[in-house]
Amino acid sequence: MIKITYKPVLQSHHHLMRNFPFYIILYILVISCAQPISPTGGKRDTVPPNLISSTPNNKQTNYKGRTVDLEFDEYIVAENLQQKLLITPDAGEYDFKARPTGLQIKFKKSLDTATTYSLSFGDAIKDFSEKNPARNLRVVFSTGVGIDSASVGGQVKDLLSDKPLLDVLVGLYPNSDTLNIEKMKPSYFTRSDSAGRYSIENIRPNKYKLFAFDDKNRSLSYNPRAEKIAYLRDSITIVDSTQISGVSLRLFMANNTPAKVRNTQPRANYYSVNYDKGFLEYKVKFNNPEDSIPHFQAGTNELKFYNTKNRKDTLVAKITIVDSVGLTFEHTQKIKFREARG
């Protein structure tokens, strides 16, 4: 019978310590092979997606379709498109469908004839991997024979702090006696950038009123109870290729209560009615047409009546004033001039 004895080979403590770095390296190599990880290194992709084609083409005229198709040079995602896409003038509701490298927008109703449309995407379109937004992505086309090229631009600031304001809606409205920005949406609009700058482009020739407000609920209509406002007192006349720049707008919290008569000043030659806030328009109708006397707006909140007929009796007139945000105040005013001193 043969007896086999196993004799373990024992290594000394000093031998193990001497070879310890070797075992550590071997362990790391084994673990690395057993658990593969994603490769690291290399430059991060900072190139935004580029638009390589569109239907209609940018600046195309006589477009008769209802869809806008965009194709990019890489995979894209569309983030918050309904909030970030600015379409002017308003083309109504639309549906959109994102493809791996493209986007289709389909309007629910036919586009207006002889109209230049502008689609500004902001940072809504981004590449799939690193979320780099497409820069200055904008498509302009016309359903008529030409492209409207007029523009209005400037800066929006807070009236009290003098700081530039981001994401303020700046809009152009048709000049009208019945303009009410609480119920109407602007014909053309944009939103200010981080430096408060804004630019409204491709505007059709017309006469407009310019307003800005911090459209917090993104309704495109002014909420006087919660939003600050700014406006140009005078209207803007747009003709072909008009380029207006440097228009400064300063937002403030408007006084949204109707005007009131603050005081009256009777004199021998004139009678003055002073209101507690300014007004842009006014109408005067005398109860007796034969009592009609000259009158005009002497200041931002003052209405003067002149005693050209040397009237000594009391005249009665219905006065209507309209302030800068469209609020109307109507009242009946008794007008009596002082007797001239002898």
Side-chain angles (χ1 to χ4, degrees):
M1 181 177 181
I2 298 173
K3 183 177 182 181
I4 300 175
T5 303
Y6 293 94
K7 184 179 180 181
V9 179
L10 300 176
Q11 296 180 338
S12 67
H13 173 73
H14 295 289
H15 176 79
L16 290 173
M17 291 302 293
R18 186 170 59 252
N19 291 286
F20 183 75
F22 168 76
Y23 296 118
I24 292 296
I25 294 171
L26 181 62
Y27 175 77
I28 292 173
L29 289 173
V30 171
I31 293 300
S32 298
C33 292
Q35 299 180 358
I37 60 175
S38 300
T40 60
K43 294 183 178 180
R44 181 186 174 189
D45 177 19
T46 59
V47 179
N50 290 313
L51 181 67
I52 57 176
S53 68
S54 69
T55 304
N57 295 323
N58 193 37
K59 302 294 182 69
Q60 180 175 331
T61 57
N62 290 311
Y63 184 63
K64 305 305 179 185
R66 284 196 305 169
T67 62
V68 175
D69 276 287
L70 308 179
E71 191 68 29
F72 297 89
D73 62 352
E74 61 178 311
Y75 289 165
I76 58 105
V77 291
E79 294 185 350
N80 300 319
L81 190 71
Q82 298 279 7
Q83 288 75 38
K84 295 182 178 181
L85 173 57
L86 304 181
I87 302 176
T88 56
D90 185 19
E93 296 181 354
Y94 61 87
D95 296 319
F96 71 92
K97 182 186 297 182
R99 303 186 300 273
T101 60
L103 177 71
Q104 182 186 79
I105 295 168
K106 185 173 184 179
F107 296 102
K108 293 187 176 181
K109 66 176 185 178
S110 298
L111 301 175
D112 292 338
T113 58
T115 300
T116 298
Y117 286 95
S118 168
L119 281 69
S120 299
F121 290 83
D123 62 354
I125 306 299
K126 302 178 180 180
D127 67 33
F128 181 80
S129 57
E130 295 293 343
K131 302 299 187 289
N132 298 305
R135 298 191 185 109
N136 303 317
L137 180 56
R138 189 165 174 264
V139 175
V140 177
F141 63 91
S142 173
T143 57
V145 296
I147 297 287
D148 294 325
S149 58
S151 67
V152 175
Q155 188 179 36
V156 181
K157 290 185 176 181
D158 183 84
L159 178 65
L160 299 179
S161 69
D162 199 41
K163 292 182 179 179
L165 296 176
L166 169 67
D167 205 34
V168 170
L169 183 143
V170 184
L172 287 171
Y173 299 77
N175 190 42
S176 169
D177 293 338
T178 59
L179 176 62
N180 184 349
I181 65 171
E182 294 180 37
K183 296 181 179 179
M184 294 176 59
K185 294 181 180 180
S187 297
Y188 295 89
F189 71 95
T190 188
R191 297 187 188 274
S192 59
D193 64 15
S194 58
R197 295 184 298 259
Y198 69 90
S199 179
I200 305 174
E201 302 177 43
N202 302 109
I203 306 168
R204 174 184 288 180
N206 203 347
K207 202 168 187 177
Y208 297 95
K209 285 285 190 179
L210 180 65
F211 285 85
F213 52 92
D214 51 356
D215 185 27
K216 293 180 179 179
N217 59 5
R218 305 187 82 85
S219 66
L220 302 183
S221 56
Y222 172 55
N223 179 359
R225 290 169 292 281
E227 297 171 350
K228 294 181 179 180
I229 190 172
Y231 55 88
L232 284 187
R233 183 168 183 173
D234 296 327
S235 59
I236 295 176
T237 300
I238 297 293
V239 296
D240 291 340
S241 304
T242 298
Q243 306 292 313
I244 301 175
S245 60
V247 181
S248 178
L249 297 168
R250 296 178 179 269
L251 263 68
F252 63 95
M253 204 67 193
N255 176 7
N256 299 309
T257 57
K260 296 179 181 178
V261 175
R262 185 168 58 191
N263 58 55
T264 58
Q265 295 177 341
R267 298 289 189 270
N269 295 325
Y270 68 85
Y271 187 95
S272 178
V273 182
N274 294 284
Y275 298 90
D276 64 351
K277 62 189 300 188
F279 57 95
L280 295 181
E281 303 173 22
Y282 76 93
K283 292 181 181 179
V284 176
K285 183 178 181 180
F286 289 90
N287 283 11
N288 183 353
E290 295 181 358
D291 290 339
S292 180
I293 54 176
H295 50 273
F296 81 104
Q297 185 174 351
T300 57
N301 61 347
E302 181 183 11
L303 191 59
K304 273 188 175 181
F305 296 83
Y306 287 88
N307 190 13
T308 56
K309 298 180 180 179
N310 195 25
R311 301 297 298 264
K312 296 182 180 180
D313 53 340
T314 300
L315 312 179
V316 180
K318 178 180 285 188
I319 302 174
T320 302
I321 63 171
V322 182
D323 67 16
S324 59
V325 293
L327 296 176
T328 300
F329 171 54
E330 185 177 278
H331 69 104
T332 299
Q333 182 65 45
K334 294 181 179 179
I335 302 169
K336 184 173 177 58
F337 299 100
R338 281 186 179 180
E339 293 186 10
R341 295 179 180 178

